[in-house]
């Protein structure tokens, strides 16, 4: 059965330039001007996992990002890698959004896809590193979720087993689709 796969990605300041980042003292937000941006590394691994699932099970991969017009660059990279469709959620009112607002916007974007079997994202972003967005996204979508995913094994069209890292090892979580899965970088080696 072909799957509808959504991947949430984020454009972040290039980690090579983190020493040049300064905060706006009035708003408490990062001043991003002059800092190159890249696709968040864990999100690249989420995209790679989506592409592998597509190759194994068939279906389509839609990549979504919320950000300014220049965030289109990370969508173009995802399309060049093999994603079928890219969606840029862009509005000046989104500027400075926290994880809850971001999750609400991404969930609304995903809901416009008219059904989705699996939503993948990186476990956390390089710029915020809170790890809150995947659970919030799952809440707004009304889907179960697993974070810290290091492996996904398909049992059948609607059931997967996710290995989830813990402090002392890992857990195997049985999961029925649709679901949100937040992946770790160790889940795969992403293609260029």
């Amino acid at each position: 059965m072909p799957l509808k796969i959504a991947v949430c990605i984020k454009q972040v300041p290039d980690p090579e330039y983190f020493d040049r980042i300064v905060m706006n003292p009035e708003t408490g937000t990062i001043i991003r001007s002059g800092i190159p941006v890249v696709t968040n590394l864990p999100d690249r691994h989420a995209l790679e996992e989506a592409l592998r699932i597509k190759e194994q099970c068939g279906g389509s991969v839609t990549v979504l990002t919320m950000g300014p017009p220049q965030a289109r660059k990370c969508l173009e990279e995802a399309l060049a890698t093999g994603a079928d469709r890219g969606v840029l959620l862009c509005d000046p009112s989104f500027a400075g959004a926290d994880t809850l607002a971001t999750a609400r916007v991404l969930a609304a974007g995903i809901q416009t896809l008219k059904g989705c079997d699996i939503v993948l994202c990186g476990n956390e972003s390089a710029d915020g590193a809170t790890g809150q967005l995947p659970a919030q996204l799952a809440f707004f979508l009304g889907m179960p979720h697993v974070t810290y995913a290091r492996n996904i094994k398909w049992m059948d069209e609607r059931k997967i087993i996710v290995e989830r890292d813990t402090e002392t090892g890992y857990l195997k979580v049985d999961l029925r689709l649709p679901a949100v899965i937040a992946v770790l970088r160790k889940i795969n080696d992403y293609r260029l």
Side-chain angles (χ1 to χ4, degrees), residues 101-117:
T102 301
R104 186 180 297 271
V105 170
L106 287 170
I110 291 167
Q111 288 166 338
T112 66
L113 301 176
K114 306 286 190 266
C116 190
D117 298 299

Side-chain angles (χ1 to χ4, degrees), residues 75-98:
L75 291 175
E76 291 169 348
E77 290 172 0
L79 292 168
T81 306
D84 300 292
R85 187 171 155 204
V87 177
L88 174 60
L89 304 166
C90 181
D91 190 281
S93 66
F94 299 161
D98 62 9

Side-chain angles (χ1 to χ4, degrees), residues 119-124 134-135 145-150 180-184:
V119 179
L120 295 163
C121 53
N123 203 68
E124 60 187 27
H145 72 283
V146 175
T147 56
Y148 298 98
R150 69 180 201 174
V180 175
I181 301 174
V183 304
L184 296 171

Side-chain angles (χ1 to χ4, degrees), residues 86-167:
V87 177
L88 174 60
L89 304 166
C90 181
D91 190 281
S93 66
F94 299 161
D98 62 9
T99 59
L100 190 62
T102 301
R104 186 180 297 271
V105 170
L106 287 170
I110 291 167
Q111 288 166 338
T112 66
L113 301 176
K114 306 286 190 266
C116 190
D117 298 299
I118 188 167
V119 179
L120 295 163
C121 53
N123 203 68
E124 60 187 27
S125 66
D127 57 352
T130 65
Q132 296 171 339
L133 184 119
Q136 293 167 337
L137 181 60
F139 172 78
F140 288 123
L141 291 171
M143 295 180 183
H145 72 283
V146 175
T147 56
Y148 298 98
R150 69 180 201 174
N151 187 35
I152 301 171
K153 181 178 178 185
W154 289 84
M155 304 310 291
D156 62 40
E157 303 175 334
R158 306 303 303 165
K159 183 179 177 187
I160 56 177
I161 295 178
V162 180
E163 287 183 10
R164 178 189 192 277
D165 262 4
T166 66
E167 291 179 8

Side-chain angles (χ1 to χ4, degrees), residues 34 42 56 61 90 108 111 176 184 189:
Q56 178 183 348
V61 175
C90 181
Q111 288 166 338
R176 289 230 166 257
L184 296 171
D189 293 320

